[in-house]
Amino acid sequence: MPNVSEILDLAGIFVFALTGALMGVRKRLDVVGMAMLAEITALGGGVVRDLILNVRPAAFQSVGYVLVPLVATVIVFYWHPHVTKVMPVILVLDAAGLGLFCAVGTAKAMEYGLSPLHATVLGITTAVGGGMLRDVLAGEIPTLLYDRQLYAVPALVGSATMAALSSYGLHGWPATLAAAVLAFGLRIVAMRRKWQAPVARGDGE
C-alpha cells in the first residue's frame, strides 16, 4: 500500500498532468500528444533531479507514477470543458503541488550530500522542470523565463527554506510541510494580487 508521502506525490503528479493535458487541448494535439505533455509535465522535473543525483528516477520505481498522468489525460480528453470550468481550483492544487515538489526535491538533494545552494536549485528544478519541458514541446515561451504571477519565485523561497532547515538539522515532515506551505502561500497571494517579477525598462522608458 502507498504511504502518505507517495499519496501526496501522486496527487501532485495528477494535478500537474492535468495542466499538461490541457495544454495539449489548447494546441489541438491528438490524444497521444496530450498524454506525452501530461507525462512530461508531471514527471519531468523529478526525473531530471534524479538523473542529476545519479539515482534511478522515482517515476520508474512505481507503475502509479506512469498511470496517474494517463488517467488525467483521459479525464481531460473527454471532459476538458468541465475541467476548464474548475480551473481556479486546479490552480490552487497546482500551487500546492509546486510547494510540495520544491520542498521534497530539496530535501532529497540534501540527503544525497549536495550543498544548500545546489539543493535549492534541484528543488526548483523538481517543481518547475516539467512545466518548462511542456512549454518547450508545445512551442511556448517557458513560464519560468517571464515568471508570470511569480511561479518560480515561490519555488525558490520554498526550496531555500527547506535547505536552510535541513542545514540546521531540521528534517522530516514538519520541515517539509513548513517549506511547502510557505511556497504555497506565496503562490496563492501572488495569484490573488497579480504580483509579477520586475521587467527591465525598455529603450526610452
Side-chain angles (χ1 to χ4, degrees):
M1 293 294 294
N3 54 32
V4 175
S5 176
E6 186 174 355
I7 291 173
L8 291 175
D9 216 16
L10 291 174
I13 285 171
F14 177 75
V15 175
F16 280 8
L18 286 178
T19 66
L22 284 171
M23 174 70 81
V25 172
R26 290 196 293 271
K27 291 292 183 177
R28 302 300 300 160
L29 302 182
D30 60 23
V31 67
V32 176
M34 290 172 59
M36 288 296 297
L37 287 186
E39 294 280 358
I40 288 171
T41 307
L43 306 176
V47 169
V48 171
R49 175 204 63 211
D50 290 343
L51 291 177
I52 292 174
L53 293 175
N54 198 29
V55 299
R56 185 170 65 174
F60 294 96
Q61 298 183 42
S62 172
V63 175
Y65 283 84
V66 178
L67 292 182
V68 166
L70 295 180
V71 172
T73 301
V74 172
I75 292 173
V76 173
F77 183 81
Y78 286 105
W79 298 289
H80 62 86
H82 303 288
V83 175
T84 303
K85 289 180 181 178
V86 296
M87 200 63 194
V89 176
I90 293 177
L91 289 175
V92 172
L93 296 176
D94 181 79
L98 179 79
L100 177 66
F101 279 22
C102 73
V104 171
T106 304
K108 185 170 184 177
M110 292 291 288
E111 290 174 4
Y112 278 83
L114 269 66
S115 70
L117 176 60
H118 292 111
T120 298
V121 172
L122 272 192
I124 298 170
T125 300
T126 305
V128 305
M132 282 193 65
L133 294 173
R134 174 202 64 207
D135 293 343
V136 169
L137 288 177
E140 297 282 332
I141 298 175
T143 304
L144 184 66
L145 298 184
Y146 54 91
D147 203 10
R148 182 166 50 201
Q149 295 183 358
L150 297 188
Y151 195 81
V153 171
L156 169 61
V157 172
S159 296
T161 300
M162 187 70 234
L165 293 174
S166 296
S167 298
Y168 284 100
L170 299 175
H171 305 285
W173 273 107
T176 304
L177 182 62
V181 168
L182 180 59
F184 168 75
L186 180 57
R187 171 64 177 153
I188 292 297
V189 172
M191 287 194 297
R192 290 187 178 276
R193 299 194 175 184
K194 301 187 183 303
W195 287 347
Q196 295 187 4
V199 178
R201 298 173 69 90
D203 294 337
E205 294 185 7

